[in-house]
Amino acid sequence: MRSSAIDVQHLGTLWLLNLDSSPTIEIVPRVSATFQRIGAEEAFSLAQAMGRDDATEVLQRFATGRRCYVALLGDILAAYGWVSFDEEEVGELQLRIRLAEGEAYIWDCATLPAYRGLRLYPALLAYIVSELRTEGLSRIWIGADSDNLASQTGMVLAGFQPIADIVIACVVTLRRLWLRRQPGVPEHLVMDARRALFGERAFVWLEAVSTAEQMQ
């Protein structure tokens, strides 16, 4: 058993788009597509695209104020992305991002396998950004796993800036999460990201790792 080993891992990165100071970007996909916001009336087809057995979770998301935007190829739902405006779970990190007034968080985005490589994801992001800009929002947050290079490329094309890496350190049986500033990013933006994820704390301790992991 490694009683004193510390294993540091980069899990992902939190990105930001400041709508007050960023230019409007239009991205044309490599295939004719339309983009729109959909509602609960499309819950069944959306649930199918998301690989869900039924529409229960999708309907719950709509009922709690979350939005979904999609890319359509004719009548085929080819890509989707969800948007929250108050708070939302962040992946599998046991964290919730808490948004300030005028902020939004884009999450659970996917392009169906048959339609990847067509620039639908960055085009959908640009559409969402444009829609939220017209509503007067000031900031949009989004996250990406460290190994998801396709998502990161799409975020860059849509104008997002990487703010801070989400880093985890395993210390014996505990896990500590903190944010590591990206090069050149002003400290106040990192502080804003930290408040959104951790409140006023610099880092958070998570539950102990499993017994199997402890014995490695």
Side-chain angles (χ1 to χ4, degrees), residues 56-195:
T56 302
E57 179 186 352
V58 172
L59 287 170
Q60 184 179 23
R61 291 186 184 186
F62 284 126
T64 51
R66 298 169 173 92
R67 296 184 188 176
C68 188
Y69 296 83
V70 300
L72 298 172
L73 305 185
D75 59 356
I76 298 173
L77 198 163
Y80 60 85
W82 287 88
V83 181
S84 294
F85 300 92
D86 45 15
E87 62 179 76
E88 191 55 64
E89 293 183 5
V90 180
E92 303 299 326
L93 298 181
Q94 302 175 36
L95 291 176
R96 296 186 71 83
I97 184 168
R98 292 172 172 81
L99 304 166
E101 185 176 354
E103 294 185 339
Y105 175 60
I106 298 176
W107 60 288
D108 193 11
C109 299
T111 302
L112 275 63
Y115 309 105
R116 291 173 184 168
L118 301 176
R119 274 197 171 185
L120 289 173
Y121 174 61
L124 177 60
L125 284 183
Y127 176 80
I128 295 173
V129 168
S130 176
E131 291 293 294
L132 298 182
R133 188 192 301 272
T134 62
E135 295 182 26
L137 271 75
S138 57
R139 282 178 166 181
I140 306 176
W141 298 96
I142 192 171
D145 293 340
S146 59
D147 58 352
N148 195 337
L149 299 181
S151 288
Q152 295 172 40
T153 299
M155 292 172 188
V156 171
L157 290 172
F160 285 85
Q161 174 190 10
I163 299 299
D165 297 326
I166 302 172
V167 180
I168 189 167
C170 295
V171 184
V172 191
T173 61
L174 295 177
R175 296 184 296 164
R176 187 178 76 169
L177 275 176
W178 78 93
L179 294 181
R180 181 175 61 197
R181 180 173 58 176
Q182 282 272 325
V185 172
E187 180 61 26
H188 74 273
L189 293 182
V190 181
M191 291 178 63
D192 289 344
R194 187 178 296 124
R195 288 193 203 97

